[in-house]
Amino acid sequence: MFEINPFAELATTVSVAVMQGFVTVMIALVAGGTLFDIIHKGSAKYFFQRWSREKNAKQRDPGIDEKIASVTKTTAHDILTSSEFCNLKRRLAHLLTMYGFTAYAIATAMMVYSYPTKEIATPTYWPQIWWLGSAMVCAGGYWFWFFIR
């Protein structure tokens, strides 16, 4: 069960073009919704104003090595570990959901675009990643909604 590409099974009743078109439309809608939310809330304006103030207030221009080190540190500390959550339980629930969704979305895209039919053999790890990602999303989401919130 965990080694079967569910989209290859679906391709027996639904056209591959329809599946790929659906995933493409979903990606476009998520990107468009995110942009709309940024514009609607005005958060982009806030960040650009802050960036402009900081740019005008800087005392020196850091080198490329300092910039790379800062981006690496910020990515590793703030993004990959969700350090904005002080509560460890909230952080773990968020990480489970975030990494689960990322795994699920990547596996979905790979199976729909690269291995859409039974004629093209799907490596067994993609369906396993797909199932694991969905289980992580459920675990993180249920943990948050039923125990943390």
Side-chain angles (χ1 to χ4, degrees), residues 16-33:
V16 172
V18 169
M19 288 190 302
Q20 291 175 345
F22 179 80
V23 172
T24 302
V25 167
M26 289 298 104
I27 291 169
L29 288 173
V30 167

Side-chain angles (χ1 to χ4, degrees), residues 35-74:
L35 290 174
F36 174 78
D37 189 53
I38 289 170
I39 293 167
H40 176 70
K41 289 181 179 176
S43 56
K45 188 167 98 174
Y46 164 77
F47 286 110
F48 282 120
Q49 287 173 349
R50 181 177 172 188
W51 175 67
S52 178
R53 274 195 317 265
E54 289 178 0
K55 185 178 177 183
N56 293 335
K58 71 180 178 181
Q59 296 175 359
R60 66 179 182 87
D61 193 22
I64 189 72
D65 54 337
E66 283 182 89
K67 290 179 182 178
I68 291 173
S70 178
V71 167
T72 303
K73 180 182 174 189
T74 302

Side-chain angles (χ1 to χ4, degrees), residues 10-146:
L10 183 62
T12 60
T13 56
V14 176
S15 163
V16 172
V18 169
M19 288 190 302
Q20 291 175 345
F22 179 80
V23 172
T24 302
V25 167
M26 289 298 104
I27 291 169
L29 288 173
V30 167
T34 302
L35 290 174
F36 174 78
D37 189 53
I38 289 170
I39 293 167
H40 176 70
K41 289 181 179 176
S43 56
K45 188 167 98 174
Y46 164 77
F47 286 110
F48 282 120
Q49 287 173 349
R50 181 177 172 188
W51 175 67
S52 178
R53 274 195 317 265
E54 289 178 0
K55 185 178 177 183
N56 293 335
K58 71 180 178 181
Q59 296 175 359
R60 66 179 182 87
D61 193 22
I64 189 72
D65 54 337
E66 283 182 89
K67 290 179 182 178
I68 291 173
S70 178
V71 167
T72 303
K73 180 182 174 189
T74 302
T75 301
H77 184 262
D78 294 338
I79 297 171
L80 297 178
T81 64
S82 296
S83 64
E84 71 271 13
F85 295 109
C86 296
N87 184 326
L88 182 62
K89 290 180 183 178
R90 284 184 189 264
R91 182 183 300 179
L92 291 176
H94 182 267
L95 288 172
L96 271 174
T97 306
M98 179 180 72
Y99 285 124
F101 178 75
T102 302
Y104 177 82
I106 291 170
T108 297
M110 287 302 298
M111 290 189 292
V112 167
Y113 291 107
S114 299
Y115 311 103
T117 63
K118 290 182 181 182
E119 288 78 35
I120 304 171
T122 305
T124 57
Y125 55 85
W126 285 120
Q128 291 171 350
I129 292 170
W130 190 74
W131 283 102
L132 178 64
S134 63
M136 289 170 65
V137 168
C138 289
Y142 293 149
W143 186 3
F144 176 78
W145 285 107
F146 294 122

